[in-house]
Amino acid sequence: MMLLHGISTMDRGLFITVEGLDGSGKTTQIAKLKGYLEDNGHIVYLTREPGGTPLAERIRDIILDKSSGNVLPLTEFFLYLACRYQHTYEVIKPKLEQNVFVISDRYADSSVAYQGGGRELTRNLVMTFNKVATGGLEPDLTFFIDLTPEEAIKRIEKTGKTKDRLEDQSISFHQRVREGYIELCELFPDRIKRIDGEGSAEEVWEAIRKEYSIFWSNKGVNDHEK
Ligand code: TYD
């Protein structure tokens, strides 16, 4: 990355993902992050998983719909992978190549936490298949907004929305998902930043902004040294 008249010139856009339990407040924080990056002169594209393309949005409906019945863990994982492959090649990679900053509400780490941890498919299996579905693409930076499952469920119930098939899982499922995320933070400390999600939206945003600033200034130094 070079700074030219205060505007970044990079050979590709940044890929940022936001992760966490359902109810962790990702949507609010993603909107703030988008505004902040735009104010800093970047073109930002918001997307989500499962979803982000017409086909993947249709698969999303199938995965989350309770009428899909008994969806076996591997079947569930393959559906997320189908979404991921389509999303990566149809949207994320082309956008990044056009120097656009892409923010995705969830990406491959969600499968490690939910299918690997929650559904107990194991981390290694999930990471192996993820590599195929992402073509090896990894986010440059990931924010994991961390909240206890008890607090996350309280927040979902407060919204009054009907829970989808995944949100309707037990507390112990969500506990395993959270543990999956915590393990990922330990494995990839440079990429994944754990953000305490218990505070107010403003407090959480302040923590994200701070981490982003640190990342951005390190990135400038690292790119300069290349
Ligand atoms: P999300 O879009 O966060 O749901 P909402 O719109 O209700 O906030 O995610 C949908 C659900 O899919 C969520 O429960 C997490 C789950 N999920 C997985 O289990 N594995 C995955 O790989 C992904 C991307 C999501």
Side-chain angles (χ1 to χ4, degrees):
M1 192 239 344
M2 269 173 30
L3 280 180
L4 197 66
H5 309 302
I7 296 170
S8 69
T9 55
M10 301 189 297
D11 41 13
R12 84 156 174 72
L14 272 191
F15 181 29
I16 302 175
T17 59
V18 181
E19 296 281 352
L21 294 181
D22 301 279
S24 59
K26 287 182 285 106
T27 314
T28 311
Q29 298 304 326
I30 287 170
K32 288 180 187 285
L33 181 60
K34 180 174 188 276
Y36 177 79
L37 295 176
E38 285 172 344
D39 290 346
N40 280 282
H42 306 294
I43 300 171
V44 181
Y45 187 83
L46 263 193
T47 188
R48 67 170 179 183
E49 279 208 3
T53 80
L55 173 67
E57 289 290 334
R58 293 185 70 183
I59 301 175
R60 174 191 175 92
D61 292 341
I62 295 172
I63 303 176
L64 298 183
D65 193 339
K66 282 187 199 157
S67 70
S68 293
N70 172 26
V71 183
L72 298 174
L74 260 186
T75 311
E76 182 178 276
F77 182 34
F78 290 148
L79 291 171
Y80 282 114
L81 287 170
C83 291
R84 184 157 303 134
Y85 186 78
Q86 188 71 31
H87 186 213
T88 300
Y89 283 88
E90 187 180 334
V91 175
I92 303 175
K93 283 183 184 245
K95 291 279 177 202
L96 294 175
E97 276 157 25
Q98 291 157 19
N99 219 348
V100 170
F101 278 31
V102 176
I103 307 176
S104 186
D105 182 341
R106 301 190 181 281
Y107 193 57
D109 296 323
S110 275
S111 284
V112 179
Y114 281 79
Q115 281 64 54
R119 300 285 190 219
E120 301 180 279
L121 288 178
T122 77
R123 190 176 65 219
N124 278 351
L125 180 133
V126 172
M127 287 178 76
T128 303
F129 282 90
N130 267 346
K131 222 173 231 163
V132 180
T134 59
L137 176 71
E138 282 180 12
D140 298 290
L141 181 62
T142 298
F143 296 107
F144 162 48
I145 305 177
D146 189 21
L147 210 56
T148 62
E150 292 78 6
E151 182 59 27
I153 285 168
K154 233 192 267 168
R155 291 189 189 186
I156 295 173
E157 283 171 354
K158 235 190 192 165
T159 66
K161 276 195 309 184
T162 325
K163 289 184 189 164
D164 63 39
R165 205 178 57 80
L166 272 288
E167 287 167 345
D168 213 23
Q169 299 298 314
S170 65
I171 276 266
S172 58
F173 172 88
H174 288 103
Q175 188 58 46
R176 288 196 300 278
V177 173
R178 183 182 185 211
E179 281 158 16
Y181 275 129
I182 292 171
E183 279 175 30
L184 275 171
C185 292
E186 286 161 5
L187 270 179
F188 304 104
D190 292 341
R191 172 172 69 84
I192 310 181
K193 305 298 169 194
R194 181 188 163 275
I195 302 290
D196 185 351
E198 297 279 341
S200 67
E202 272 315 310
E203 286 165 336
V204 175
W205 165 242
E206 199 41 40
I208 291 179
R209 202 193 50 74
K210 239 186 223 159
E211 283 293 351
Y212 177 80
S213 303
I214 295 170
F215 166 84
W216 186 253
S217 46
N218 287 343
K219 182 172 166 45
V221 173
N222 291 344
D223 289 359
H224 191 66
E225 282 170 357
K226 268 183 200 162

